[in-house]
């Protein structure tokens, strides 16, 4: 019975781990199951411990399961030692600041974020929900330590207001909006920067969210705690999956449009970062990683949870770079809690093209 249960767990671990190959439009529900991958990894660890303690001759079964799932495990939880950052590497921070008010224990959210970034001494900061610009405060604060600043307003209505921002010590040559369909306040834009004698394209993204309202979040947490009866659990799980599937389908088209832009400009050095609103085992991340290097997977350590709301612990902020850029020590700074996201930090060494 234990062997059969372990084999079933391994099958589910592989199904969820490689579900990022499924297109969300063709397979709307199956494309959402990657977020459950760590559950089956933990389950396989439990079986490994049981077999080692009571039936060591069967321990090869969970070990084989881990070998088969090596790629999604590496994607979800890479393990790298800290490397020495070479001279000339640039420091990039991607941060969803939630309108500078994501954690209301700070009365001065903008100033808290400003002081943090000033102390970090970044070369490029890509900001999602850079929403304080309507008061004309952001530029004044960022100009104290970064010379070049630009913000793109994605939407401005009575219910939503959202911006993408870039703040950098490098001159901004131009900005291009990458158009795609979105019913929400999301978007992507490419900023062309002059880095010494080269051009670096930085694409900042805020992709489609899952649109879970407060009621959805409360019910999700009740599911995790086992506080629902069976009928309610079945009904609410179905509704939650439908919402996630719809968001995945919209996000997949947005990701594909950005990928088209990347292919059109593949001869340039490029950084792609932002709030992807998707976990590491997803179509979005798999598709982007086919074109660019996932900096966290290549150099990070651990799960790297970037969304910090209770019950929703995922790495949904990502940073990719072109093959002529070498990443170093990509990390999530979970000590900075002025938003519902933690900032993502990475050092990048550009191989100067001749």
């Amino acid at each position: 019975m234990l062997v059969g249960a372990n084999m079933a767990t391994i099958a589910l671990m592989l199904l969820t781990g490689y579900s990022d190959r499924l297109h969300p439009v063709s397979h709307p529900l199956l494309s959402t199951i990657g977020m459950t991958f760590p559950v089956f990894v933990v389950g396989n660890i439990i079986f490994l411990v049981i077999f080692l303690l009571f039936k060591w001759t069967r321990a090869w079964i969970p070990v084989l399961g881990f070998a088969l799932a090596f790629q999604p495990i590496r994607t979800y939880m890479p393990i790298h030692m800290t490397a020495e950052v070479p001279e000339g590497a640039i420091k990039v921070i991607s941060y969803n600041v939630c309108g500078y008010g994501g954690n209301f224990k700070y009365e001065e959210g903008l100033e808290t974020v400003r002081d943090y970034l000033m102390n970090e001494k970044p070369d490029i900061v890509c900001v999602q929900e850079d929403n304080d610009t309507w008061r004309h405060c952001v530029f004044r604060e960022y100009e104290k330590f970064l010379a070049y600043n630009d913000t793109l307003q994605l939407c401005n209505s009575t219910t939503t207001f959202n911006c993408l921002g870039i703040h950098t010590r490098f001159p901004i040559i131009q900005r291009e909006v990458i158009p795609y369909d979105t019913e929400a306040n999301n978007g992507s834009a490419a900023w062309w920067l002059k880095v010494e004698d080269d051009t670096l394209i930085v694409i900042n993204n805020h992709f489609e969210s899952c649109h879970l309202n407060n009621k959805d979040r409360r019910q999700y947490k009740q599911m995790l705690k086992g506080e629902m009866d069976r009928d309610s659990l079945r009904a609410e799980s179905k509704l939650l999956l439908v919402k996630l599937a719809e968001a995945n389908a919209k996000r997949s088209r947005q990701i594909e449009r950005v990928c088209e832009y990347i292919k059109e400009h593949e001869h340039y050095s490029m950084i792609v970062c932002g709030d992807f609103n998707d976990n590491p085992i997803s179509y979005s991340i798999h598709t982007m990683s086919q074109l660019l290097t996932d900096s966290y997977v290549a150099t990070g350590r651990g799960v790297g949870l970037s969304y910090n709301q209770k019950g929703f612990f995922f790495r949904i902020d990502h940073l990719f770079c072109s093959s002529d850029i070498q990443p170093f020590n990509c990390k999530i700074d979970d000590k900075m809690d002025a938003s519902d996201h933690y900032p993502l930090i990475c050092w990048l060494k550009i191989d100067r093209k001749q």
Side-chain angles (χ1 to χ4, degrees):
M1 290 178 64
L2 281 174
V3 169
N6 189 193
M7 294 181 68
T9 300
I10 291 172
L12 290 170
M13 180 173 65
L14 296 176
L15 175 63
T16 56
Y18 291 99
S19 63
D20 55 3
R21 275 70 171 172
L22 301 175
H23 198 290
V25 174
S26 304
H27 306 278
L29 294 180
L30 285 176
S31 67
T32 68
I33 63 176
M35 62 192 302
T36 66
F37 173 70
V39 174
F40 301 107
V41 172
V42 171
N44 200 45
I45 292 174
I46 294 173
F47 279 109
L48 177 59
V49 172
I50 292 173
F51 285 134
L52 287 174
L53 291 176
F54 302 106
K55 195 71 173 178
W56 66 268
T57 56
R58 296 288 188 269
W60 65 269
I61 298 174
V63 170
L64 176 61
F66 284 131
L68 294 174
F70 172 75
Q71 185 170 342
I73 290 173
R74 176 178 176 270
T75 299
Y76 191 85
M77 189 179 65
I79 301 296
H80 297 281
M81 300 300 293
T82 301
E84 182 178 353
V85 178
E87 184 178 354
I90 62 175
K91 186 176 183 179
V92 180
I93 298 179
S94 177
Y95 193 10
N96 183 325
V97 299
C98 197
Y100 301 99
N103 189 337
F104 297 104
K105 72 178 184 181
Y106 296 102
E107 293 183 2
E108 298 180 339
L110 173 58
E111 290 74 15
T112 302
V113 172
R114 176 207 62 195
D115 292 345
Y116 167 78
L117 294 173
M118 189 179 298
N119 291 332
E120 286 294 321
K121 298 180 173 60
D123 299 293
I124 301 172
V125 180
C126 291
V127 181
Q128 302 85 48
E129 299 190 29
D130 199 8
N131 295 354
D132 195 66
T133 50
W134 67 276
R135 294 199 326 235
H136 305 293
C137 294
V138 168
F139 283 9
R140 291 202 303 270
E141 298 302 329
Y142 280 110
E143 285 171 353
K144 294 176 181 179
F145 60 102
L146 292 169
Y148 302 96
N149 302 275
D150 189 34
T151 298
L152 169 67
Q153 183 174 290
L154 298 175
C155 66
N156 185 4
S157 68
T158 55
T159 57
T160 56
F161 180 53
N162 193 21
C163 300
L164 288 174
I166 188 168
H167 310 280
T168 175
R169 70 178 182 87
F170 302 116
I172 298 173
I173 301 172
Q174 65 178 14
R175 178 186 71 195
E176 289 185 348
V177 177
I178 302 176
Y180 51 66
D181 291 333
T182 175
E183 297 175 5
N185 54 346
N186 307 109
S188 300
W191 278 269
W192 297 48
L193 308 183
K194 183 180 180 182
V195 180
E196 296 184 6
D197 294 328
D198 296 323
T199 299
L200 172 66
I201 298 178
V202 180
I203 302 178
N204 190 6
N205 305 276
H206 190 187
F207 290 117
E208 198 81 19
S209 71
C210 295
H211 306 298
L212 300 182
N213 56 39
N214 291 332
K215 179 182 177 182
D216 296 328
R217 295 172 187 271
R218 286 196 302 270
Q219 292 173 336
Y220 172 71
K221 292 175 184 178
Q222 289 174 354
M223 292 181 205
L224 294 180
K225 295 177 181 178
E227 297 176 351
M228 267 189 192
D229 60 68
R230 182 175 298 178
D231 291 339
S232 297
L233 179 62
R234 185 181 296 111
E236 295 302 331
S237 297
K238 185 176 180 180
L239 290 174
L240 182 62
L241 282 174
V242 168
K243 280 196 171 185
L244 292 174
E246 291 175 349
N248 280 350
K250 295 175 183 177
R251 195 181 303 115
S252 68
R253 292 187 285 268
Q254 297 170 3
I255 288 285
E256 288 164 354
R257 179 63 193 95
V258 173
C259 287
E260 290 174 6
Y261 185 92
I262 293 169
K263 293 175 182 177
E264 293 166 0
H265 301 85
E266 60 184 0
H267 51 291
Y268 287 96
S269 300
M270 190 174 300
I271 300 169
V272 178
C273 64
D275 179 1
F276 279 60
N277 273 309
D278 226 336
N279 73 92
I281 310 299
S282 62
Y283 175 81
S284 302
I285 305 308
H286 176 71
T287 301
M288 190 67 69
S289 65
Q290 300 305 295
L291 300 177
L292 303 171
T293 300
D294 187 325
S295 297
Y296 191 89
V297 172
T299 69
R301 181 169 56 190
V303 178
L305 306 175
S306 67
Y307 188 66
N308 57 43
Q309 296 301 288
K310 292 182 179 180
F312 294 84
F313 298 109
F314 299 104
R315 185 170 83 245
I316 62 174
D317 299 86
H318 305 272
L319 189 150
F320 297 82
C321 59
S322 52
S323 59
D324 62 315
I325 300 177
Q326 184 177 2
F328 293 88
N329 303 340
C330 194
K331 66 177 183 177
I332 303 296
D333 188 355
D334 58 7
K335 295 180 177 60
M336 180 51 184
D337 60 350
S339 172
D340 54 357
H341 291 244
Y342 294 129
L344 182 150
I345 304 173
C346 192
W347 287 260
L348 304 172
K349 177 65 175 177
I350 303 174
D351 179 18
R352 305 298 175 191
K353 297 181 178 180
Q354 301 298 323

